[in-house]
Amino acid sequence: MKDAPLHILLIDDDSVRASVIDEGLREAGHSRITVITDMRQLLRQIVEADPDVIFIDLENPNRDVLEQMFQVSRSVPKPVVMFVDQSDKASTEAAIDAGVSAYVVDGLRKERVKPILDMAISRFNAFHRLREELHRTRQALEDRKIIDKAKGILMKSRGISEEEAYALLRRTAMNESRRVADVARSLITAVRLLS
Amino acid sequence: MQADIERIGARDASEDGSTPLTLGFIPLVDAAPLIVAKEKGFAAAEGLALALARETSWANIRDRVMLAHFDAAHMLGPMPIASTLGIGHVAVPMIAPFSLGLGGNAITLSPAVYEAMEAAGAELGAGPAAMGRAFAAVVARGREAGRGPLTLAVVHPFSGHNYELRYWLASSGIDPDRDVRIIVLPPPFMVDAVLERQIDGFCVGEPWNSLAVEAGAGVIVATKSALWRQGPEKVLGFRADFAERSPETLAALLRALSKAAAWAGHAANHAELSLILAAPAYLGTSARIIARALSGSLVRKSGSPPSLVPDFLVFHDHAANFPWQSHALWFYSQMVRWGQVPYAPGLADTARRVYRPDLYRAALAGTGIDLPRASAKVEGALKTATPVASRNGAMILGPDGFFDGRLFDPDEIEAYIASF
């Protein structure tokens, strides 16, 4: 977990239950907590609070609003901890592994708040690292394909070796302060236009 | 404090050797087939002990199917597709082997906006094209006056509501992403949000449009059935592995729902059905309001006489329960159109295969229900009731046109998307 105090946003229209969670979080050492009990203008309230993590009652119909917000806003999605104070056989672990944020089930007791919060955040971070890594790997693969294609074009049209073709691409990229892959992409586009 | 998830009938499950099944639903009129299957004994007759769990958000419905809290659920048609494609959330393959009906939604605007539309020539009960022209005039006037864009609400980004609202706006010359603002709001908050002027209108399923009219908070300007006669709406969504794990249970459930949908679609049962749905455990609202959606006799504006909307909500007629793959592909085309997902032939194929006519046919093969031979059709092509090839020879499909006269050919998705 980060060193800066976590800013936790608690969304619950039930103020009594909100205070139980609030207390649990404070006993667990968290002091930056914003509680929203009035659901009007929820989006604006969330944007203004800009929290690190969101706690929301599973039974709150605003869950759909929250999802929409993460889709349209350019801000990084925040871990969402969902809770419902009733017994259920569901496994929180399974929920988090599935990429769904944490479900706090099996009764809402304030001493359970901290471990679930910690787990939700760490799983959320791990999940996002994985996704970013996947994205980077895909990008690298894509770049390599583009560069190979551009090299082929240069080798053929200028009658140079593969190393020379790559050196030429790299030099051009450096001179124009662009990425090698971007230079390669422009070359391919230009060739397509000319042919 | 007790959370209000209600496991209606959970105690009955499996006492007599029947198979227990838990289905999630959102309190809407179009959840009727699930509720009827339980209340009228159609599920029990198939050896199923149904427990219905009322949910408050579509996200919960989806998550709880993903986590196998629910065996299946009342879902927005595009939702199992979005889940399978992994857009908006994690990728969990889902299937939709049964359509819960056609139509049932409407676009409702605030009385203030409607008044301005009347000044621009709108008349109550006019078609979507005329209403769209009047609304476009109001939007244009607002822009000229330097006012901010009007705000409209839908229930979920991956919903028929979002797509039909956008379809209507775009056809009327309004850019849904620039000329207005579209947000997500839970149905129970829409009436208050309009009264408090947080939003200027919404697209939602019944009973929420009629409740808004009743509260003097809105005027129904267009119905889904007027935008796209026979447009698909909710489905029964399962995790994909359910069909492999329990094919018999799935088939039994589809048979029960088919009978329930037929019962719910029969006008003679509407009085009883409106009372069943009105119970606190289900919709918890007035049977009188629910009856409007069931009969298609809508009051569009507070104090106005009801008017009959043909095919407003179809539970069973016109092969309403058949999961047409062209419906799945149309939803996918709209996801692409509005930038939710890129176009790729592989993605289109994945989207198509979320809808499972094969499972529908397998489940209903032994019943008298007629089954279409094709799994997809050109949407919007039927201007009048038309016979199509079916197992029993021919079955009649109703008129299914889009209001702007466009056709959706599932084999020409790219051209369709490019045509907008």
Side-chain angles (χ1 to χ4, degrees):
Chain A
M1 278 174 61
K2 287 182 279 181
D3 293 323
L6 270 184
H7 182 194
I8 300 168
L9 179 65
L10 177 55
I11 303 171
D12 195 348
D13 48 11
D14 182 333
S15 54
V16 177
R17 186 169 51 192
S19 68
V20 172
I21 298 174
D22 190 7
E23 205 178 309
L25 289 168
R26 286 180 195 283
E27 280 177 19
H30 295 289
S31 52
R32 284 189 69 201
I33 302 165
T34 304
V35 181
I36 295 180
T37 51
D38 180 356
M39 300 301 139
R40 279 171 306 177
Q41 305 280 12
L42 182 66
L43 272 182
R44 189 181 301 164
Q45 294 190 69
I46 297 172
V47 170
E48 276 168 11
D50 189 25
D52 299 307
V53 56
I54 299 170
F55 260 67
I56 186 168
D57 173 14
L58 193 54
E59 290 305 297
N60 192 315
N62 279 298
R63 275 207 55 206
D64 291 327
V65 179
L66 215 56
E67 287 209 356
Q68 157 83 353
M69 189 184 83
F70 292 150
Q71 270 169 39
V72 295
S73 74
R74 292 205 177 81
S75 65
V76 182
K78 304 295 194 304
V80 177
V81 180
M82 283 166 276
F83 60 88
V84 54
D85 55 351
Q86 69 152 31
S87 283
D88 199 304
K89 281 186 191 129
S91 142
T92 308
E93 282 273 346
I96 302 166
D97 282 340
V100 177
S101 300
Y103 279 96
V104 182
V105 285
D106 190 24
L108 184 69
R109 298 188 302 273
K110 62 184 182 187
E111 61 273 21
R112 293 202 66 220
V113 169
K114 182 179 160 51
I116 285 175
L117 175 72
D118 290 350
M119 185 161 58
I121 292 169
S122 75
R123 291 296 178 96
F124 177 85
N125 289 340
F127 181 65
H128 268 264
R129 261 200 307 280
L130 259 174
R131 264 231 290 242
E132 268 168 33
E133 223 169 82
L134 188 68
H135 180 73
R136 270 200 305 274
T137 313
R138 276 198 191 138
Q139 182 74 43
L141 260 173
E142 181 71 10
D143 284 356
R144 209 170 61 199
K145 269 195 280 184
I146 296 276
I147 293 167
D148 282 347
K149 201 167 169 190
K151 275 195 301 193
I153 293 170
L154 288 176
M155 285 158 67
K156 210 171 140 194
S157 64
R158 296 192 144 207
I160 54 178
S161 73
E162 188 176 346
E163 290 84 63
E164 284 168 323
Y166 186 70
L168 182 57
L169 283 174
R170 199 179 47 195
R171 205 163 48 239
T172 311
M174 278 165 64
N175 287 343
E176 297 181 5
S177 347
R178 294 163 70 195
R179 294 171 62 238
V180 175
D182 292 340
V183 171
R185 198 167 282 120
S186 320
L187 176 68
I188 293 166
T189 309
V191 168
R192 201 177 293 141
L193 285 173
L194 290 172
S195 62
Chain B
M1 217 128 342
Q2 272 300 308
D4 57 349
I5 289 184
E6 294 180 44
R7 290 288 158 89
I8 300 152
R11 264 165 307 166
D12 316 336
S14 72
E15 270 167 18
D16 53 357
S18 51
T19 306
L21 271 185
T22 302
L23 308 181
F25 74 99
I26 296 280
L28 290 167
V29 174
D30 60 19
L34 275 62
I35 295 163
V36 168
K38 174 169 179 57
E39 293 293 328
K40 296 302 289 179
F42 297 114
E46 292 286 345
L48 304 173
L50 282 197
L52 299 182
R54 187 166 72 180
E55 273 296 341
T56 47
S57 79
W58 291 111
N60 275 2
I61 285 270
R62 180 204 55 214
D63 289 354
R64 295 193 149 219
V65 170
M66 275 183 184
L67 298 170
H69 292 189
F70 298 154
D71 298 297
H74 174 222
M75 268 189 196
L76 299 161
M79 191 164 239
I81 301 169
S83 176
T84 304
L85 295 176
I87 45 174
H89 203 64
V90 288
V92 172
M94 288 195 184
I95 54 166
F98 192 90
S99 158
L100 291 170
L102 308 169
N105 301 339
I107 298 170
T108 296
L109 298 174
S110 75
V113 168
Y114 182 69
E115 214 170 281
M117 284 167 66
E118 271 188 330
E123 276 173 46
L124 203 63
M131 281 293 187
R133 275 194 299 277
F135 188 55
V138 172
V139 168
R141 204 161 303 153
R143 192 172 38 221
E144 282 155 21
R147 285 193 289 269
L150 295 174
T151 302
L152 304 172
V154 295
V155 302
H156 196 270
F158 303 111
S159 63
H161 313 76
N162 189 21
Y163 305 139
E164 64 218 29
L165 176 64
R166 284 169 174 270
Y167 193 98
W168 177 64
L169 292 171
S171 277
S172 309
I174 300 165
D175 182 333
D177 290 312
R178 196 195 60 205
D179 301 334
V180 294
R181 220 157 58 94
I182 298 180
I183 63 163
V184 166
L185 205 64
F189 298 169
M190 290 203 184
V191 169
D192 282 347
V194 170
L195 290 173
E196 289 166 9
R197 296 181 173 249
Q198 290 173 35
I199 60 173
D200 302 289
F202 48 78
C203 181
V204 73
E206 282 293 81
W208 297 102
N209 298 287
S210 292
L211 286 169
V213 169
E214 205 65 2
V219 179
I220 297 176
V221 301
T223 61
K224 175 169 187 149
S225 57
L227 296 169
W228 179 6
R229 192 86 179 255
Q230 325 293 354
E233 189 39 42
K234 306 295 187 309
V235 294
L236 188 69
F238 292 82
R239 248 168 58 159
D241 56 2
F242 189 93
E244 283 130 47
R245 242 184 17 249
S246 316
E248 294 307 322
T249 306
L250 184 138
L253 181 58
L254 299 199
R255 283 192 297 271
L257 283 174
S258 174
K259 289 186 189 119
W263 189 90
H266 201 36
N269 297 325
H270 285 166
E272 183 183 350
L273 178 55
S274 61
L275 289 172
I276 294 174
L277 295 179
Y282 296 123
L283 272 59
T285 190
S286 130
R288 186 175 56 85
I289 298 292
I290 292 169
R292 292 185 190 172
L294 296 177
S295 62
S297 187
L298 296 186
V299 176
R300 294 176 184 268
K301 186 170 181 246
S302 177
S304 294
S307 58
L308 189 67
V309 180
D311 291 335
F312 173 72
L313 172 59
V314 181
F315 284 124
H316 190 66
D317 287 349
H318 313 310
N321 304 128
F322 190 78
W324 294 98
Q325 292 190 315
S326 38
H327 288 169
L329 286 169
W330 187 80
F331 283 138
Y332 173 71
S333 78
Q334 301 306 295
M335 292 175 182
V336 175
R337 182 181 181 187
W338 304 116
Q340 291 177 327
V341 65
Y343 177 78
L347 292 179
D349 198 48
T350 304
R352 177 178 66 82
R353 283 185 291 155
V354 170
Y355 278 39
R356 295 293 297 274
D358 58 327
L359 295 176
Y360 180 90
R361 286 197 189 94
L364 295 164
T367 69
I369 296 284
D370 209 351
L371 303 166
R373 286 198 191 279
S375 293
K377 57 186 162 92
V378 176
E379 300 291 340
L382 305 182
K383 306 295 182 215
T384 54
T386 307
V388 297
S390 74
R391 191 181 55 173
N392 299 350
M395 62 191 297
I396 306 291
L397 296 181
D400 68 351
F402 291 90
F403 81 99
D404 59 359
R406 272 178 200 271
L407 297 182
F408 173 66
D409 181 344
D411 292 331
E412 304 286 344
I413 297 189
E414 256 190 294
Y416 179 75
I417 295 164
S419 75
F420 290 108

